[in-house]
Every structure is written in structure tokens, then in C-alpha cells.
Amino acid sequence: MKATIKDIAKMTGLSTATVSRVLAHKQGTYRQSTAKRVREAADKLGYKRNVAAAELAANDVSTIAVIINNTETNFWLRVLDGIQAEANRQGRQVMIFYAGNNDEKMLDQAINAAVERQTAAILLVSTKVNEQQLSVIESTRVPYRFISIYDSRTSHRPFISSDNVEIGRMATQYLLKRGHRKIGMVGIDKSSTGQERLLGYQEMMTKARLSIAPGWVQYGDYSLQSGKELFSHIADLGLTAVIASSDMIGAGLMVSAQEAGVSVPDDLSIISIDGTMICDVTNPQLTSVTQNFYQMGVQSVKDLVDSKNAENHQFVPVEVKERASVRPLDVN
């Protein structure tokens, strides 16, 4: 088994970020005594870098590392389509690192593997990193972007995404305009993404002078199974409509509703967030706040290739796509 940066860090008692800086020859970021410890450990472990540093020294973005760490939903497939399409147009290569579903250990391994290969750019698709992991990435001094995820509290992290507060607003407003007043939000998590969508929902409900009763907001993990399980939590609350935090949540709610004899949209209207192909295969088809994941992928590669002229933060517009899962109520 090949030695990794993490193995060297363990042997020397240093952080992976420090080890990475030494091996990447980032002069002025470490002491010579530290460099000696790292190199001695690397020699002892038989550590070998896979690619020379020439690409980075020439600032030539050739191989782009894409890290995926959220697989319970399917939106990332369109992101990858956009990344690959633009990479092909630019004559670049794409290397994909699978890091499980919000698995911190697998994410550590994926980041270290990307750094060890000295990939010339890194794209993190809906990936939640901690400060240590971000430090490892930033120590390489290569351009990186978060895709379809951001945290307004960490403005230094470059991203391209939809505006999650606006998504919450749009979904709620759509239902309000169709006469719904008892509106729930189902399947969000407690990350920045979920909390920003919740804020948008709360803002619109407050603007409409409507109270949010206990149980109307249900937390989950965006997965199909979560949607199935959460239906029982909202079935007896008198809701006329819900915002499903993902298409998978929406599909799961529909499965359990059908099993319980609840008709969508006659008894319960559902609008989902994402707008992937899942919306077209449910019965009835899901109305959605549709995100342009393909464009996120395309734009992320363009930004990396032309990083000097790229905006640090970008929101890609969203739209509501009407299908058949929302029933207008009589508002008279």
C-alpha cells in the first residue's frame, strides 16, 4: 500500500497541511527543520509523488480534480455533465474522487489523493469540508471552487451555486399564490444549505402573516428513504402543501402518500427543489424549483481556466417548472 501525506503527518506529528506545503516546496511557509523531518519521513515510508510540479509552475490547468461527497441525491450527475463538457472544450482532463455520502474519513482520503497527484485545480461538488480539510486544499495554492454549496459565514471560499434563500422564497411564494396557507417544509438538513432555504420559507410565511405550526418543518437528509419516512410525521397535521427539500424527498413523500391512500395533488400538493429527471418519472410529475446544475459545472471550469477574471462568488438563476403535483385552492 502506497504511503500518503496522512502517513507522513502521523509519523512526524505534523498536520497534513504542513506536510503538503513542504512536499509542494511552498517556500516561506515552513522551517527548514520541519522540511527535514518531512523529507526524512517521506524517504523512510517510500512516499512518491505521482506527477511533477511543472503543470502548476506554468499555471497550466490541465487535470481537474472533482470531489463528490453527497450521493443521496442525483443532482450531481448534471454537474458532472457540465464539468466534463466544458473540460472537453478546453482540452482538459477530469479526475473524479468519490468520497461517500458526507463521510468525513473518505473525504480526507479524497482530498489527500487529489493533493498528492498535484492536480492543477479542484472542484468540490456539494462537499462540506472542515477547516483542516480546507487548509490542506489551500496549502496547494491551486484554484478551487465549491459547487452547489456555500456558507454565507465563510465568504472567503469561492463558490458557484443557486441562491438557497431565494429557492426557499420561490417555492413558498408559488404555493401561496395558489391559495395554500398551511405549508410545510420537509427533508432539509441543518447545514447552511438547509438553513438558508428554511429562512426563505420563513420570510415568505411571515410576509403573508402566517404562523408556522409545530411539526410543519421536518428535518431529513434529502434522500428517497428520508422522504418515505417523513410522510408519517406530516400526514395528520392538516397541511395542504409541502416543499420537498429535494426531488428525492418529493418522490419518497409520494410513495408513502400513495400507500396511505393520500392523493397528490388532490389531498396534498408537493413542490420539490432541484428539478432533476426524477420530476419527470414520478406520478404525477413533480412541480419543482429547478436549478441549472449543468451550467454550474460549465461555469466552474471556465472560472478555473480564467481565474484572474472570474468572480469569486456566483449565483446561477433558478426557475419554477410547473408539472402536475400542485393543486390550486379556491381562494375566494
Side-chain angles (χ1 to χ4, degrees):
M1 187 175 180
K2 292 182 178 180
T4 67
I5 285 177
K6 196 171 182 179
D7 295 327
I8 298 172
K10 185 176 181 180
M11 175 174 281
T12 59
L14 299 168
S15 69
T16 53
T18 298
V19 172
S20 177
R21 287 194 294 271
V22 171
L23 295 175
H25 306 289
K26 304 299 182 183
Q27 298 295 333
T29 64
Y30 52 82
R31 297 186 179 91
Q32 288 306 308
S33 58
T34 299
K36 182 179 178 182
R37 287 168 60 193
V38 170
R39 288 168 186 144
E40 287 177 350
D43 289 341
K44 186 172 183 179
L45 292 169
Y47 175 83
K48 299 289 184 182
R49 297 199 77 111
N50 294 335
V51 181
E55 290 180 354
L56 285 179
N59 196 28
D60 180 19
V61 181
S62 61
T63 302
I64 299 171
V66 179
I67 298 177
I68 301 170
N69 188 226
N70 187 338
T71 56
E72 287 296 326
T73 59
N74 65 327
F75 72 88
W76 52 270
L77 294 169
R78 289 297 287 160
V79 175
L80 288 185
D81 287 343
I83 291 172
Q84 189 64 67
E86 185 59 26
N88 288 343
R89 281 192 286 269
Q90 299 279 355
R92 317 293 170 175
Q93 295 180 323
V94 175
M95 185 180 298
I96 299 172
F97 294 87
Y98 170 71
N101 184 55
N102 295 315
D103 187 311
E104 189 167 322
K105 184 176 180 180
M106 290 186 71
L107 181 55
D108 279 339
Q109 294 171 346
I111 290 173
N112 285 329
V115 169
E116 288 164 17
R117 284 163 177 76
Q118 261 185 345
T119 48
I122 298 175
L123 295 174
L124 301 113
V125 181
S126 195
T127 299
K128 304 167 190 170
V129 301
N130 57 38
E131 290 302 320
Q132 175 64 23
Q133 291 163 339
L134 185 62
S135 178
V136 172
I137 293 169
E138 291 186 333
S139 72
T140 66
R141 299 187 182 179
V142 301
Y144 69 92
R145 287 284 185 282
F146 288 90
I147 304 179
S148 191
I149 190 169
Y150 65 95
D151 189 336
S152 57
R153 298 168 298 181
T154 53
S155 58
H156 64 287
R157 300 179 180 181
F159 69 80
I160 181 164
S161 177
S162 303
D163 184 332
N164 285 307
V165 176
E166 184 62 19
I167 285 175
R169 290 183 187 130
M170 287 179 68
T172 310
Q173 186 175 39
Y174 180 85
L175 295 173
L176 288 169
K177 285 185 174 180
R178 282 147 189 81
H180 293 277
R181 296 295 180 265
K182 296 180 179 180
I183 302 169
M185 177 168 266
V186 180
I188 59 169
D189 64 6
K190 295 188 178 181
S191 71
S192 58
T193 298
Q195 295 311 292
E196 284 157 2
R197 292 176 182 178
L198 176 63
L199 177 60
Y201 159 74
Q202 291 170 330
E203 284 182 2
M204 295 309 299
M205 293 292 280
T206 299
K207 187 175 180 180
R209 298 182 180 179
L210 296 172
S211 298
I212 299 172
W216 285 16
V217 175
Q218 293 289 331
Y219 286 90
D221 64 6
Y222 303 104
S223 69
L224 180 73
Q225 185 60 35
S226 183
K228 289 180 180 179
E229 293 171 355
L230 289 173
F231 176 78
S232 63
H233 294 256
I234 64 165
D236 299 322
L237 298 179
L239 296 170
T240 64
V242 296
I243 301 164
S245 63
S246 71
D247 297 338
M248 289 292 196
I249 289 287
L253 289 171
M254 291 178 71
V255 169
S256 292
Q258 185 177 28
E259 292 174 350
V262 174
S263 173
V264 175
D266 292 337
D267 301 323
L268 179 69
S269 290
I270 302 175
I271 182 171
S272 69
I273 296 171
D274 282 344
T276 67
M277 63 178 291
I278 295 297
C279 296
D280 295 318
V281 300
T282 57
N283 185 21
Q285 293 182 333
L286 277 165
T287 291
S288 65
V289 179
T290 298
Q291 303 188 68
N292 195 337
F293 295 115
Y294 183 87
Q295 184 57 36
M296 290 182 201
V298 168
Q299 192 60 48
S300 66
V301 176
K302 287 183 176 179
D303 287 353
L304 291 174
V305 173
D306 189 20
S307 58
K308 290 183 179 179
N309 297 317
E311 295 181 27
N312 201 41
H313 305 150
Q314 294 184 62
F315 284 129
V316 175
V318 298
E319 62 179 349
V320 173
K321 185 167 183 179
E322 290 188 303
R323 295 185 181 86
S325 62
V326 175
R327 178 175 75 93
L329 299 183
D330 185 357
V331 295
N332 294 326

